[in-house]
């Protein structure tokens, strides 16, 4: 892996971690304070973290000047597959097997971290890497 890709991966990791804080924080609020159903809390927290993660990574990690609606649609398609599968698995593990909600959420976030990075890097922003004004300044 060259230096540029190593830096890109490190940035993605930091932004994903911040999105993870948003996801866990909002999930905790809805789960502990409001006592909403697990899957409702999970879905809302996921959407909040995805919007945060997409916005920061598009601008700073992938430095993409691509069409935002198109890029967001591709991310939406990723989540169209990922969300029902992860929601079902999370509900199954927590409701049927009694696993801890936070443990299951963290496992799911780690799986999401890896697969979404690969999807964004090689599908969403593949042809528009380093095309925005931040990339042009260097």
């Amino acid at each position: 892996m060259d230096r540029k890709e190593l830096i890109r991966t490190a940035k993605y990791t930091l932004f994903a971690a911040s999105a993870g804080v948003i996801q866990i924080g909002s999930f905790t609020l809805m789960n502990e304070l409001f006592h909403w159903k697990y899957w409702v809390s999970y879905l809302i927290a996921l959407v909040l973290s995805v919007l945060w993660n997409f916005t920061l990574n598009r601008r700073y990690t992938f430095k993409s000047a691509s069409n935002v609606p198109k890029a967001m649609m591709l991310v939406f398609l990723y989540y169209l597959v990922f969300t029902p599968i992860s929601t079902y698995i999370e509900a199954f593990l927590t409701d049927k097997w009694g696993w801890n909600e936070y443990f299951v959420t963290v496992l799911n976030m780690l799986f999401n971290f890896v697969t979404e990075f690969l999807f964004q890097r090689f599908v969403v922003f593949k042809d528009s890497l380093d095309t925005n004004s931040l990339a042009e300044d260097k």
Side-chain angles (χ1 to χ4, degrees):
M1 180 181 300
D2 69 1
R3 185 180 187 318
K4 189 177 204 176
E5 287 303 315
L6 188 60
I7 291 170
R8 189 182 320 274
T9 303
K11 282 182 189 178
Y12 186 87
T13 300
L14 291 173
F15 290 137
S18 71
V21 169
I22 288 170
Q23 185 170 346
I24 288 291
S26 57
F27 173 79
T28 300
L29 179 71
M30 291 175 279
N31 191 52
E32 300 295 334
L33 187 63
F34 303 133
H35 303 289
W36 290 353
K37 287 201 166 281
Y38 177 82
W39 69 270
V40 173
S41 299
Y42 167 69
L43 285 176
I44 293 170
L46 179 65
V47 168
L48 293 174
S49 72
V50 167
L51 291 173
W52 174 265
N53 196 41
F54 173 82
T55 301
L56 291 176
N57 279 307
R58 180 185 169 275
R59 175 145 175 87
Y60 298 106
T61 302
F62 300 110
K63 297 178 184 175
S64 174
S66 70
N67 180 309
V68 175
K70 179 183 175 191
M72 191 53 143
M73 180 56 72
L74 289 170
V75 171
F76 174 76
L77 292 174
Y78 166 86
Y79 278 99
L80 197 60
V81 173
F82 179 83
T83 302
I85 292 169
S86 65
T87 302
Y88 173 79
I89 290 170
E90 290 212 8
F92 180 81
L93 292 175
T94 57
D95 296 342
K96 301 289 184 200
W97 284 11
W99 288 22
N100 179 275
E101 292 95 347
Y102 296 97
F103 176 71
V104 173
T105 297
V106 169
L107 286 177
N108 193 42
M109 289 169 66
L110 291 171
F111 180 70
N112 177 252
F113 164 77
V114 172
T115 59
E116 187 177 9
F117 173 79
L118 294 171
F119 187 79
Q120 286 191 14
R121 171 62 180 85
F122 296 108
V123 177
V124 177
F125 301 116
K126 174 183 78 167
D127 296 327
S128 66
L129 289 173
D130 302 321
T131 58
N132 73 10
S133 60
L134 293 175
E136 294 169 5
D137 291 341
K138 289 190 172 189

